[in-house]
Amino acid sequence: RLAPAPSGATQSDDPRIGVNLASRGFATEQASDAQVVERLPGSGIGVAAVQRTREEDGWLLVATGYAAGHDASETLAADAGALAGTALSEGFDAAATAQRTLLDRFWAAADLTIAGEPRLAATLRANLFHLFASAGRDGRSSAAAKGLTGEGYEGHYFWDTEAFMLPVLSVLAPDIARAMLVYRAGTLDAAFANARALDHKQGALYAWRTIEGRECSAHYPSGSAQYHINSAIAFAIGAYVDATGDEGFLVEHGARMLVETARIWLALGDWADGQFHLRGVTGPDEYTALVDDNWYTNRMAQKHLRLAVSAAERVAGIDPEAWGWLAAEMELAPAELAEFARTADALHLPFDAARDLDAQDASFLDKPRWDVAGTPASEFPLLLHYHPMTLYRHQVSKQADIVLAMVLGGEEVSPERKRRVFDHYEPITTHDSTLSASTFAILANEVGHEAQALKFFAETSLVDIDDRHGNTGHGVHMAALAGSWLALVWGFAGFRPHGPQLRFRPTRPADWQGYAFGLSWRGTLVRVEVAGDQVTYRAVSGPDIVIGHHDSEIRLAPGASWTGALAA
């Protein structure tokens, strides 16, 4: 008999795992042989599990239903019992058929191959299955950092849900992506409260770490100061609407979310020398905290402000009456939208002219470099061996920061500048966060560093299959798993979510024979197949579509395909 595994909260002092709950977890409200209802005293969330049985041809058939929410115990138990009863009456075959239909629909878009690399391809498919299975579908939940697989991070949602997972789901399972954004819409009141707790008199600030919407981070410098959570959610809204054309989401939820969260940038920043500055923030790199003008935060805030203006204009054009009510409710005047646009144009993106290099923040390049290459392997991750204040005083990154900015917001940056960014920041990045590798894989491919692109692609793809960070026992790394797909499609295939047109700049690593993948774009199922020095685009089903191939455009009718040279 195997001994039970220790809970994630007691396995080590690693702050990424979790802490012992002061409430000691769930308190039992009801319990019997076939029913249990428990509730968390802090949040008030209850969970019911109800079992139903019946005999059939000498067999005992068993079904269990689950329900969760803030409802009374009796309501939760009734809901769970109804689910169990339905499952029992319909039988196993019906459940299996429904699941097969659901998965067939997903894999019609998501299936992929990498010719000559069967293990990598199989791993990416497993990664996508984790993403599909773990994402919330009810509009009241999202995707936790560890999915459904472990106690790491205590089931909390972070900004990487929107920056890494939602862009994948938007083109592979858009109905799930929408439900996850509806969840964020439902926590907007908590975002208002969070902003007021940080002394902002206007705007909404989504929690960096949360389940119900309240901020659950206890470490302000590396947690609550990550204002970029707002821009990640804005980015996900834009990516979802671009991929699906679902402007109804903007009318129902998106415009309000974008405007209210964009207001936080004006509340946070200040003007100096004709430029707008964001001070005292933490970017994605948690080894640098409470800095001024973090490049990533400023660039993503710039995109966020412009998206809020665009969304307001679109909703006003789609449904003028609805926009009139919404603008009045938000007390939003045209002058404020104009201020959004003016601020976006003036946001400061720090650049060191002497080094001819974009700076991660206003002070980063003035600090001494950490000798990452000379640090013993036993001292990684640095967060477990050095005080944060020591790390904050050096040029050292836990994960992609300005590199991520070049991927998510680098459409106006030249390839030469991006290459200089990659070459400077990669040697001082420890990749202690599993979020890092996929981003470096994408940018490495874009700037022509094929060997590094392949190395980082393998790192993000195999992070859990090979337990490369030694902590998969705490749960899989959901953003890294999503990142493996991004590294393939955004990296080697050259896709970027920058607007309503589907566009690729595909490449093929010399060691690969080819690769293929699918996605859904505005109702059209598209397959992309790279073989040798050629690429084929197929419109499998759905309406006509225009696909950008480098700087040219290809129009495909349903069932049609186009084959041409891989390079421009």
Side-chain angles (χ1 to χ4, degrees), residues 72-386:
S73 298
E74 294 75 15
T75 301
L76 292 175
D79 290 346
L83 288 172
T86 299
L88 198 63
S89 64
E90 293 182 350
F92 176 84
D93 289 343
T97 298
Q99 181 167 334
R100 186 178 299 112
T101 300
L102 183 70
L103 289 171
D104 285 349
R105 179 185 173 192
F106 175 69
W107 289 114
D111 197 22
L112 56 86
T113 61
I114 303 175
E117 295 284 353
R119 183 171 187 255
L120 271 176
T123 299
L124 259 68
R125 287 195 289 270
N127 293 350
L128 289 176
F129 175 76
H130 271 294
L131 184 61
F132 179 72
S134 299
R137 292 159 162 76
D138 59 1
R140 297 183 297 169
S141 58
S142 187
K146 299 293 186 181
L148 303 175
T149 61
E151 295 182 31
Y153 294 119
E154 304 170 297
H156 286 115
Y157 313 138
F158 294 80
W159 66 279
D160 37 292
T161 298
E162 282 78 22
F164 292 84
M165 302 182 218
L166 262 163
V168 181
L169 291 168
S170 291
V171 295
L172 298 184
D175 52 337
I176 296 177
R178 191 184 205 278
M180 292 166 68
L181 289 172
V182 169
Y183 152 78
R184 286 291 192 185
T187 63
L188 189 58
D189 284 344
F192 285 127
N194 189 44
R196 302 302 171 268
L198 294 180
D199 296 331
H200 298 302
K201 294 180 173 56
Q202 67 172 356
L205 177 61
Y206 279 104
W208 173 70
R209 176 174 180 159
T210 191
I211 292 177
E212 281 202 296
R214 295 174 297 160
E215 178 61 74
C216 297
S217 170
H219 190 195
Y220 171 73
S222 65
S224 298
Q226 294 200 41
Y227 283 76
H228 65 86
I229 175 68
N230 272 9
S231 60
I233 293 170
F235 175 81
I237 292 172
Y240 167 77
V241 174
D242 282 345
T244 63
D246 182 7
E247 293 184 319
F249 179 81
L250 290 179
V251 176
E252 296 172 43
H253 306 289
R256 180 192 298 273
M257 294 167 69
L258 289 166
V259 168
E260 295 289 9
T261 53
R263 282 171 160 164
I264 206 70
W265 302 122
L266 275 63
L268 175 65
D270 63 82
W271 290 85
D273 301 322
Q275 293 187 308
F276 196 76
H277 301 267
L278 299 176
R279 308 189 193 276
V281 302
T282 300
D285 170 26
E286 293 158 15
Y287 286 174
T288 306
L290 293 179
V291 297
D292 295 342
D293 289 326
N294 172 255
W295 208 104
Y296 174 89
T297 302
N298 287 21
R299 172 57 175 149
M300 296 302 286
Q302 184 180 63
K303 290 171 66 73
H304 181 178
L305 287 161
R306 289 170 176 165
L307 182 59
V309 173
S310 171
E313 293 172 348
R314 290 165 75 178
V315 172
I318 296 167
D319 192 335
E321 184 177 0
W323 174 248
W325 283 103
L326 180 58
E329 186 175 333
M330 294 191 293
E331 298 182 353
L332 178 69
E336 186 176 3
L337 290 175
E339 186 64 12
F340 281 9
R342 185 174 82 96
T343 302
D345 290 342
L347 262 162
H348 178 61
L349 300 176
F351 185 85
D352 189 308
R355 295 179 176 89
D356 196 22
L357 180 67
D358 292 278
Q360 181 168 301
D361 59 65
S363 62
F364 188 83
L365 294 178
D366 295 329
K367 299 174 182 177
R369 287 169 64 106
W370 189 285
D371 183 9
V372 174
T375 303
S378 60
E379 295 182 4
F380 292 96
L382 298 184
L383 64 93
L384 298 185
H385 300 278
Y386 295 90

Side-chain angles (χ1 to χ4, degrees), residues 489-568:
V489 178
W490 290 18
F492 299 119
F495 168 71
R496 288 293 190 284
H498 297 321
Q501 186 184 43
L502 185 61
R503 181 174 296 279
F504 299 95
R505 296 182 180 275
T507 61
R508 177 182 60 82
D511 292 342
W512 288 9
Q513 300 168 27
Y515 57 91
F517 62 88
L519 53 79
S520 174
W521 193 261
R522 300 201 163 209
T524 300
L525 179 58
V526 176
R527 296 290 299 175
V528 180
E529 302 163 3
V530 171
D533 295 327
Q534 291 192 313
V535 60
T536 299
Y537 301 109
R538 302 182 188 277
V540 179
S541 61
D544 291 1
I545 189 170
V546 175
I547 299 175
H549 176 62
H550 294 282
D551 295 324
S552 62
E553 294 185 349
I554 302 153
R555 181 175 293 277
L556 295 177
S561 64
W562 177 92
T563 300
L566 192 63

